Amino acid sequence: TAGMTFLDVVEAARHLPEVEVSKSYGTPSIKVRDKMLARMKEDGETLVLRTDFVSRQILTQADPEAFYFTDHYRDYPLVLVRLGAVQRAAMPDLLERAWRELAPKSLVAKFDTKK
């Protein structure tokens, strides 16, 4: 099903080590060791999600209803996610990918040995 809230996003990130709910730019965010995985935009309906440029290209082409970016974000490895349109099943994987980019290698290795 489509449609999520920030609390659903937090729940989807809960299995990742050392993830914490915090604030970024005055909005709720999810971080690992002080690095932002995702944060709510000021509109309360859009999630700013860490990604890489190739994945962003794939996401925005595959599901432009849910994933997009603006000129402001063009040069940053971030994608904008319409929480009302994104498939719930996609979020855990998207968050894990963001976490893998930002978490220390030792933490990622420890996580992978437990899988």
Side-chain angles (χ1 to χ4, degrees), residues 10-21:
V10 169
E11 189 58 39
R14 195 174 297 284
H15 72 287
L16 300 167
E18 297 190 33
V19 165
E20 59 182 24
V21 177

Side-chain angles (χ1 to χ4, degrees), residues 12-52:
R14 195 174 297 284
H15 72 287
L16 300 167
E18 297 190 33
V19 165
E20 59 182 24
V21 177
S22 184
K23 283 223 186 277
S24 295
Y25 303 101
T27 62
S29 70
I30 300 172
K31 295 181 180 179
V32 58
R33 297 209 182 162
D34 255 0
K35 295 179 181 171
M36 186 193 81
L37 301 178
R39 78 169 184 92
M40 285 302 294
K41 271 183 70 64
E42 293 71 13
D43 66 8
E45 297 173 8
T46 309
L47 189 73
V48 180
L49 178 66
R50 176 72 183 230
T51 189
D52 61 73

